[in-house]
Amino acid sequence: MEILEILVAAVWFILPAYVANATPVVLGGGKPIDGGKKFTDGRPIFGPGKTVRGFIAGIIAGSIVGALQAIFGRPGMVTAGFLLSLGALVGDLMGSFIKRRFGLPRGSSAPGLDQLGFLLIAMAFAAPVALPTPEMFVALLIITPILHISTNYCGYLLKLKDRPY
Ligand code: CTP
Ligand code: MG
């Protein structure tokens, strides 16, 4: 496969996870998933940046993308889209859990974890029904941080986020 073909196939494959990850920035807010509770270390479990509405909106938006992809691609993408979306949001939550354990406040940056945590967990969740080729996997490890950092910066310029990362 040509590099461009690999990139297109990789982005098409992971699209539900990307949409699921980005949606809470726009539609999130309200009640935090952890209910404001603290973990045994006295720090927030996930923190106020992880909300119920963002979590649900992300899964719905990503799943809609997967369903639309199924219309143009393979029907199996409905399940894959849902699992990629669920995994992206669970991975994002796990990332925040880890950040809080290291005492990093909500909104702080954790290079690597912020950009790849959601990606790896999304692929792990979808693995039983859909796997990228090794080339697509490597492409996603490279382009996801680039896309994540640039879309976050755009979100900051559009005043959707109050931090550029
Ligand atoms: N968001 C949400 N619900 C989620 C995930 C995200 O409402 N489950 C919203 C929050 O407004 C959050 C924003 O999307 O501030 C950006 O998400 P993210 O960067 O993942 O959260 P941070 O605020 O940076 O918090 P953390 O340090 O825990 O990653
Ligand atoms: Mg953040």
Side-chain angles (χ1 to χ4, degrees), residues 7-161:
L7 286 178
V8 171
V11 171
W12 178 254
F13 168 77
I14 208 69
L15 202 57
Y18 281 176
V19 171
N21 190 251
T23 299
V25 177
V26 185
L27 298 181
K31 193 183 172 307
I33 293 174
D34 64 12
K37 288 199 185 67
K38 302 276 195 288
F39 195 59
T40 49
D41 56 9
R43 298 188 172 118
I45 302 175
F46 303 119
K50 305 292 118 138
T51 68
V52 176
R53 198 169 75 211
F55 190 87
I56 293 172
I59 293 173
I60 292 175
S63 299
I64 289 174
V65 169
L68 291 174
Q69 287 179 307
I71 297 173
F72 299 104
R74 285 170 284 116
M77 294 178 91
V78 175
T79 317
F82 168 72
L83 291 174
L84 284 169
S85 305
L86 180 66
L89 269 301
V90 170
D92 178 56
L93 217 48
M94 289 165 66
S96 292
F97 181 81
I98 293 170
K99 283 164 79 172
R100 299 303 91 82
R101 303 291 68 76
F102 281 94
L104 295 167
R106 176 255 176 110
S108 57
S109 107
L113 190 60
D114 282 339
Q115 296 82 21
L116 296 175
F118 84 93
L119 173 76
L120 295 174
I121 303 299
M123 287 195 280
F125 270 48
V129 298
L131 279 174
T133 64
E135 292 89 342
M136 283 158 64
F137 180 74
V138 173
L140 288 172
L141 290 182
I142 298 168
I143 62 169
T144 303
I146 298 170
L147 286 172
H148 196 269
I149 290 165
S150 43
T151 49
N152 274 325
Y153 193 72
C154 289
Y156 171 72
L157 293 178
L158 292 169
K159 300 202 181 342
L160 291 170
K161 285 179 68 84

